Every structure is written in structure tokens, then in C-alpha cells.
Amino acid sequence: MSYVPRLGLTLSVVLALLLGLTTPTGAAAPAPHGPPGDWVGTWSASASGTVPNTPTGYADRTVRNVVHTSVGGTRVRVGLTNVLGTAAVRMTAVTVAVAARPDAPDAVAGTMRPVTFGGASSFTIPAGGEVLSDPVAIAVPEDGDLLVSVYTPVPSGPVTYHQVANQTSYLTPSGDHTADEAGGAFTQQIGFWPYVSRVDVRGSAEGTVVAFGDSITDGNNSTRNANHRWPDYLADRLNAAPGPSRLGVVNAGISSNRLLNSTWNPNALSRLDRDVLSVPGARAVVVLLGINDIGGKPQHREPEPIIAALRQVAAQAKAKGLRVVGGTLTPFGGSSNYTEELEGVRLAVNEFVRHGGAFDAVADFDAALRDPADPHRMRAEYDSGDHLHPKDAGYRAMADVVALDQFRPAQAGDWVGTWHTAMAQALPGTDQGLANHSIRNVVHTSVGGRAARIRLSNVYGKVPVTMGRVTLAVAAGPSTPDAVAGTMRAVTFGGAPSVTIPAGAEVLSDPVPFAVPADGDLLVSVFTPEPSGPVTAHPRAYQTSFLTSAGDHTADERGSAFTTPTPAWHYVTAVEVDAPAVDGAVVAFGDSITDGDKSTTSANVRWPDVLADRLAARPGPTRLSVVNSGISGNRILDSTTGIGGQNAFARLTRDMLVPTGARTVIVLEGINDIGNLAHPDPVALSAALRQMAARAHASGLRIVAGTITPFMGWRSYNDERESVRQAVNEFIRTSGVFDAVVDFDQVVRDPADPRRLAAEYDSGDHLHPSDAGYRAMAEAIDLRQLD
């Protein structure tokens, strides 16, 4: 039997399966997306850990989460999370309903609605990932309660949850009871929220305020099931305010959370992207963090590190266009950790919050709660009894000092990403970091600007890493550590020449006045003076950078000290420019074919580079930059232990949704799942691509999907895998899920045998294109689809 008929038979079966499973019988396919419009967050809970003693999840059990809305609407979306899970979790039924009352699992009759994901009633969330449901038509009450019920049929892994809910939710002993209006099957009460992470609504609200904090934002010691946390009271005030402007409030507090260290929950900077910067409709953030850094263990007896971290939170939020309100730290005299020395740290931090200039406004929670006769202590009528957490009256007093006019819209300015790399791994052999090393990263810009900012990453680090000095310069050439004379600039962070990056986090520098060349090369040099932990890196840069173990040479214009070449980018993850003429960034999100595997080293001829050249060559000013979020070996559905980094779901927020100026994303993913899984599933891959499109659209991004390129001749090729590739490509071309499609497959395949790359486009391994192939891919993109 010839190839074409044999493949056609297999493909027809696969496509029938695909279409049958992604759209339930009798149900219409989801409508094409519109702009984010008036979708806003009405409730959220930040992932804080995994449920103790549940190593294999909640097999054959139903969770019914009770959640409280801030604003209402006519449609709802539900976010589910597995971000701290270590295995994929399967959910085969999810529902949402209006709760009959806040302290029971019963639904208001007639309000139960099934929740779907790309039209399907079930979904598998990869480890580290989150999913967002299709819109559900339901009358969501303002200042009301919803039931979000989830059934997990089979064992999975640890259950991601928000530990301190101050709200009763429920579990069944067994079975799928997601659609039950009566709550009789839910016999076990729990005080935490498993799996559910957010609820968005579409209605009359114009934006969302994010409360970002620790246990005092989480509402510790407030009345259970009463929704008397200070963000709840703030929502009540906003709802009662006169005028048409309406704002939701979502709570991103985690009990015991810190700025500087992760404990049993992730530190604040490591969760900033997920819990604040990607919240739908986010307009402002109220930051109340630091008391656990002062009073917890280890105790921080100097205010400067806490102040530096607060500056970082403010800088990154402002870079995303949010207004930032700083909350002063509340009194803790009389609590078990109080000392006069630590009180001095609190007062110094509060002086910074009030007068340091980092915030757009201040909410003086300290002044609201402190005892006038003894300002180190909380007033008795506001004290829950532990002398740290307020009671309901104290939380109300906190909300009352927040000025509602502080939440007017802000602007992110003219900043846009000009270069980016997705961090992929902790570099092998660097368990103690690179003490006394200088690293000179060579990076290539897409657009120029009048100033620059640098992002540094420790997302794969296990401990904080200190950058003793950071510099920026124009490179004398694309493959040299030498700087153009006179271009070397010091890079600062909150005015300081050094910065310490918490484990799992990123930091953003101050603006550096600097003539950044378009389509040019920069040197980003960092000095790490002390042992730290594993070095966060992008191992396959297809660009030569340089190292020296001989101390701080970051300010050297001549590169003679940098004697060791490296194929990896260390620590640096992005360069952003102040470019008023540029309208936004195109994010290329993919695997090795986006990363540029087998392209000429240091030549910048990956397909995103060529795309940037084409955009720059259009008549008129260059309106779009291009940033590269490709990782060689990356997969959609599972993470690898090697260079491939976290799966696409786990890195989606960091590498697709929040890059500065992101406007359009081009997704090219799936070949590593097809080529490495024993029996790859086109239904699962297509559903995952649908979910990526949904997440992009929810963040206001256009999404262009690239068809998966041929790979016959590659070591893992077989006819079954080829059938899967064809099925997924058919889905990409015809589903209508994406705003546009670029048919990379058609561009680079051999017309005589479309299973193969054309010889002139094949790098030689039959998977990765040559330089000519990458150019052909970039030239196939209709530039009008990116505007």
C-alpha cells in the first residue's frame, strides 16, 4: 500500500475521534474569541502548597469549593490549577452553581451549570499548569457565593490548594457528584480550596484590584464563612461607591508568605506573574508584605533587603501598567516573635512605604490599627488575640483607610521587549553557583530605544543569588566579549548596584539611559561574588557568550578577561527598551525550531530573527518587536528532566502572557510530544492548543498557530506519529480556534514526499530546518496578521 492512502485511512479515523471528543454531541463549537472586553477577576486564591497526606490525589472523589464573589456578571470562567502538582491531574466533570448559602454545599435550584474546556467536559492539567474554562452563561451574584465542583476519577499526584481559606468547602467519600444540587453527598468538611484558583466574570465591572499579601490579607482569624477579610470589606466599599465605575477585588494573600524566602509556600516575587500580573482586568495592586520576613524564621534584622524586594514588586507591577498601592506593616507588639530590634525594622520599612517614592499611593494600615497609647501594639478592639492578626473589626478598619480614588487606570509607558529567552534549566555542575565569576551574555535586539531595562532570573534556583554588579554595553561584534568604547553603563536596581534574587523569582532593573541599537548586539554582564545555588540558564542559545572565574570584570570594555566561551545564556532573561514608536511585541512561543536549533551560531538567523528583520524592513517606523520564548526539547504535555524546561502550560504565564508589550503570540509546539511519547494523542494535543489559545485571548493577545513541520528521517519517526502530526495540523488549519494560521508545514515540506523536509531546508537531522528553512518559515508569515 502506498504512503498516501495508508496515511489517509489513519488520519480519517483520528480526525473523527478528534472532532467527536473535542465538541460534545449536539453542542456548538466555542465561538471565536473577541477582545478581553469586560472580563475581570471577581475571586481568586493563590496556590500555597499541596494537601497533606494525599500523594495520589482525590481519586474518585468530588470537591465542592465555596467561593465568594466581589462583582457579578452574566457569564463566568473558572480557573483550575495544578501549579504545585508533580503529576498530571485528570478532571472529567466540573460544574459551577450559585450557593444556597455560604456555609453549606447546596446549590440554588436551577443554577447548576456544566463547565467545559474547549467544548469538552474533561481536561488533564499537566504538572505545573493551569487551565481556564470556556465562558458559562449564569447570573453571577455580586457579593455572593458560588460552588465550583470538580471530580477527579483516577489517582494523580499531590493536590494543589490554598491552605487557609477561612471558608468551609466539601468533599465526597466517592463518586461524581458535581451536578448534585443537593449537597447531601458532601459529607466531609475542609478548610481549604483544592484545585480552584480563580473565577472571572463578564458584566459591568471595569477592572480588578489585586490584594497581594500574607496572612493579614488572607484573613487569618476572621470569622469563618463570613467573608470579613479586609479585601472583602474593600469590595463592599467599592460596590457601594456612587457612579458607574465598578471594580472587582481578588485576594492574592497567602498565610506565612514572605518577600525574601520560600517556606512551605512560594515567595512573593516568584508568584508575582501568576498571582498579580496576569489577573484579568487588573488595574491596581495593594501590596502588604514583609511582616513574616521580619518576625518569621529566619528573621531579617535589617530593613534594606525587605525594602529592595518591595521596590521590585512595585517596579514589575508598574511595568505591566498597574497602579501600586503600598500598605504599611501593621503592629505586632505582644506577639510571640516581637522584639524591639525587629520593631525597628518594621518602622524603617514603613518609613520607606510612606516616603520612599516607590508606590503610586499608600494605604496606612499601621495608622489604622495601632494603639495611640502604645503604637507598637494593635488596638485591643481590633486585635484577634494573638497580637498579630486583626479580628473582623480590624479588617474593616484596614479596608476603610484605602482611598478608592487610588485605583484609576495607569499607563505602562512606551516600554517593549526587544530580546527575551525562556529559562529552561538549572545548569548542570553549578550546584553552588558560580562564585567570583563574571558572565558576559551576548544578546541580539529586534528594535532599538532610548533607554533599556534588564530582567534577571533565578527561576530554577534553590536559594537566593546575589548579583554584585551588572552592566550593559553595545557589543563590538556578534561573537566577541568586547564592548564598543564609551557604551558601558552600570545597571542598578532601586538605585543599588547589586541585587539579590529570591529562589524562583525574577528582578527588573531601573531604566538605563542608553542608545539601544535596533538589530544589534548587546553585552549584559553579571558578577556573582558568592556561592549560591544552581544557575538558571537557557542552555542552547545558538549564540556564544563568555565567562571568567577571575572576579568582577563586568565593567571591562575589553573582553580579554572573558576567556571561556559558553553556548548558554546565564541569568539574563529579557532586555526591554523605551521605544515610543513601537506598538508592541510579537512573542514566538515554541520548542527547538523556534529556539533556532541547527541555525548558524551567533548569526541570528532563527525564524523569529528573520521575522524581526522583515518587520523592520516595512515602510515607516518599526511598529513591532519580536521576542523568542522557544526552548529546545520543550513539550506541551509534560516536562523533561533535561534541557527542555517546564512544559508549555507550566511556563505559559511567564513566557507568553506577561512579557512587556506582548501583543501577538505565534505558537509552534507539539513535535516533541509527538516524537517522544510512546503513543501521542492528537486529541490531547489539540485540546492543549485550544487551552493555550484561550489563555492568550483572556490576556488580550492575538494568537497565530504554526503547523508542525515534517520529521521523517528523525530517529523517532514512525507512521503512527506522522498520523498524529497530520491530525494536529488539520486541527490547527480548520478549527477556527486561532486568530490566524501560518502553514510552516506546507512551506518547508518536500512536495514529492510531504512527510520530509525539503532537502534545501533540512539542516541534516531531518527535524530542524537549515538557515534557509528558517528564512522560508519567517517569510511565510503574513505581517498583517501580527498588527
Side-chain angles (χ1 to χ4, degrees):
M1 183 181 289
S2 69
Y3 158 73
V4 174
R6 183 171 69 248
L7 182 58
L9 261 176
T10 306
L11 183 56
S12 66
V13 174
V14 169
L15 284 177
L17 178 66
L18 178 64
L19 294 174
L21 289 184
T22 55
T23 304
T25 303
H33 91 102
D38 48 8
W39 282 101
V40 303
T42 188
W43 175 89
S44 73
S46 300
S48 64
T50 57
V51 177
N53 305 315
T54 58
T56 58
Y58 288 138
D60 191 35
R61 302 185 74 180
T62 304
V63 182
R64 179 155 284 181
N65 294 283
V66 182
V67 306
H68 189 74
T69 65
S70 53
V71 290
T74 58
R75 293 165 77 80
V76 69
R77 296 186 306 217
V78 175
L80 300 175
T81 183
N82 190 29
V83 296
L84 301 177
T86 55
V89 59
R90 182 74 173 164
M91 299 172 178
T92 56
V94 181
T95 62
V96 64
V98 178
R101 61 180 197 268
D103 58 351
D106 303 301
V108 171
T111 66
M112 187 66 67
R113 302 286 188 275
V115 175
T116 59
F117 300 83
S121 60
S122 61
F123 203 91
T124 297
I125 312 178
E130 295 182 299
V131 295
L132 182 64
S133 79
D134 303 326
V136 179
I138 184 174
V140 179
E142 173 186 287
D143 190 26
D145 298 286
L146 299 178
L147 306 177
V148 179
S149 304
V150 178
Y151 174 62
T152 50
V154 296
S156 57
V159 176
T160 297
Y161 78 148
H162 180 91
Q163 182 187 26
V164 180
N166 294 295
Q167 168 67 55
T168 303
S169 290
Y170 304 89
L171 278 170
T172 65
S174 63
D176 177 4
H177 293 274
T178 54
D180 293 7
E181 287 190 341
F186 294 89
T187 56
Q188 181 180 343
Q189 296 187 0
I190 54 177
F192 48 85
W193 287 304
Y195 292 129
V196 65
S197 60
R198 70 187 242 202
V199 176
D200 306 336
V201 294
R202 191 167 192 177
S204 60
E206 299 177 355
T208 295
V209 178
V210 184
F212 189 52
D214 49 40
S215 58
I216 297 175
T217 296
D218 214 2
N220 263 28
N221 294 350
S222 64
T223 301
R224 181 181 283 252
N225 300 333
N227 300 296
H228 287 169
R229 313 162 191 88
W230 74 257
D232 299 318
Y233 285 120
L234 176 62
D236 293 342
R237 289 187 61 214
L238 287 165
N239 285 336
S245 179
R246 301 293 300 282
L247 295 173
V249 177
V250 298
N251 193 325
I254 295 179
S255 295
S256 297
N257 200 226
R258 301 185 184 190
L259 288 160
L260 301 175
N261 301 92
S262 297
T263 53
W264 54 268
N265 56 67
N267 68 73
L269 279 172
S270 71
R271 66 186 184 93
L272 185 64
D273 285 353
R274 181 176 68 244
D275 292 343
V276 178
L277 303 186
S278 58
V279 170
R283 176 184 286 190
V285 55
V286 183
V287 180
L288 177 58
L289 283 159
I291 199 66
N292 292 314
D293 299 87
I294 294 170
K297 297 187 185 303
Q299 294 172 339
H300 288 272
R301 300 173 183 276
E302 298 293 335
E304 286 77 14
I306 297 170
I307 290 170
L310 287 170
R311 282 191 186 276
Q312 263 306 306
V313 171
Q316 293 190 44
K318 288 180 179 180
K320 195 63 178 173
L322 276 63
R323 287 184 61 81
V324 188
V325 179
T328 53
L329 303 183
T330 54
F332 72 124
S335 72
S336 59
N337 292 328
Y338 179 86
T339 67
E340 289 187 6
E341 179 186 17
L342 296 178
E343 173 69 355
V345 177
R346 184 184 75 91
L347 294 176
V349 172
N350 280 351
E351 180 68 12
F352 161 75
V353 172
R354 292 184 181 106
H355 305 298
F359 302 103
D360 297 300
V362 174
D364 204 335
F365 296 134
D366 172 43
L369 296 185
R370 69 191 180 207
D371 186 341
D374 186 355
H376 309 305
R377 289 179 174 267
M378 202 179 299
R379 293 169 61 139
E381 61 267 36
Y382 293 155
D383 191 341
S384 67
D386 67 5
H387 313 302
L388 174 64
H389 299 98
K391 60 184 178 183
D392 292 1
Y395 286 126
R396 182 184 292 277
M398 290 176 66
D400 285 346
V401 300
V402 179
L404 303 188
D405 62 359
Q406 296 172 343
F407 301 138
R408 59 188 179 275
Q411 297 295 324
D414 298 318
W415 291 89
V416 68
T418 187
W419 173 87
H420 180 267
T421 191
M423 289 310 191
Q425 70 172 169
L427 206 61
T430 63
D431 290 350
Q432 299 301 313
L434 293 172
N436 202 42
H437 276 63
S438 293
I439 305 158
R440 181 152 283 183
N441 298 281
V442 182
V443 306
H444 189 75
T445 66
S446 55
V447 295
R450 60 193 181 186
R453 297 188 304 217
I454 309 300
R455 287 186 185 266
L456 300 176
S457 178
N458 190 28
V459 296
Y460 287 99
K462 303 299 183 186
V463 298
V465 59
T466 296
M467 306 289 168
R469 182 154 58 166
V470 181
T471 62
L472 176 68
V474 177
S479 56
T480 174
D482 297 319
V484 171
T487 66
M488 187 66 66
R489 301 288 187 276
V491 177
T492 59
F493 300 82
S498 65
V499 65
T500 297
I501 314 174
E506 295 182 351
V507 294
L508 179 66
S509 80
D510 302 328
V512 180
F514 186 73
V516 180
D519 192 25
D521 296 289
L522 302 177
L523 305 176
V524 180
S525 303
V526 300
F527 172 57
T528 50
E530 304 163 354
S532 58
V535 174
T536 295
H538 184 98
R540 292 193 176 180
Y542 311 102
Q543 167 68 56
T544 301
S545 291
F546 303 90
L547 300 169
T548 177
S549 60
D552 182 5
H553 290 273
T554 54
D556 295 5
E557 284 191 340
R558 294 193 61 186
S560 55
F562 293 90
T563 55
T564 304
T566 173
W569 283 308
H570 299 64
Y571 294 123
V572 63
T573 188
V575 177
E576 303 168 4
V577 291
D578 185 4
V582 179
D583 295 330
V586 177
V587 181
F589 188 86
D591 49 43
S592 58
I593 296 175
T594 296
D595 211 4
D597 203 324
K598 300 298 187 295
S599 65
T600 301
T601 297
S602 301
N604 299 297
V605 288
R606 314 163 190 86
W607 72 256
D609 299 317
V610 180
L611 174 61
D613 293 341
R614 290 188 62 215
L615 287 165
R618 285 196 297 185
T622 301
R623 300 197 307 274
L624 293 172
S625 66
V626 180
V627 296
N628 193 327
S629 285
I631 297 179
S632 294
N634 197 231
R635 302 183 192 180
I636 295 176
L637 298 177
D638 68 339
S639 302
T640 68
T641 56
I643 63 169
Q646 295 174 296
N647 66 70
F649 277 69
R651 68 185 188 94
L652 192 70
T653 299
R654 182 175 67 243
D655 293 337
M656 180 193 290
L657 303 184
V658 301
T660 297
R663 176 170 175 167
T664 299
V665 58
I666 304 175
V667 173
L668 176 57
E669 283 265 18
I671 194 62
N672 290 313
D673 300 83
I674 293 170
N676 289 285
L677 299 177
H679 297 287
D681 180 3
V683 176
L685 287 170
S686 298
L689 288 168
R690 273 189 189 273
Q691 183 56 214
M692 292 165 71
R695 295 284 303 281
H697 289 153
S699 291
L701 302 179
R702 286 178 55 80
I703 183 166
V704 178
T707 53
I708 301 171
T709 52
F711 73 122
M712 187 176 185
W714 177 252
R715 57 179 176 264
S716 65
Y717 176 90
N718 61 35
D719 284 355
E720 178 191 0
R721 292 189 166 113
E722 174 66 7
S723 296
V724 174
R725 185 181 74 89
Q726 294 283 354
V728 174
N729 279 352
E730 183 68 10
F731 165 80
I732 290 169
R733 293 183 181 108
T734 64
S735 67
V737 166
F738 307 101
D739 298 290
V741 173
V742 54
D743 205 334
F744 291 137
D745 170 42
Q746 184 180 51
V747 168
V748 298
R749 70 192 181 201
D750 185 343
D753 186 349
R755 300 168 296 179
R756 294 180 176 273
L757 288 170
E760 63 269 31
Y761 294 151
D762 190 341
S763 67
D765 68 5
H766 313 302
L767 173 66
H768 300 99
S770 61
D771 291 357
Y774 286 128
R775 179 169 294 279
M777 290 174 66
E779 290 175 348
I781 298 169
D782 183 346
L783 301 186
R784 296 170 298 178
Q785 297 174 344
L786 308 180
D787 290 324

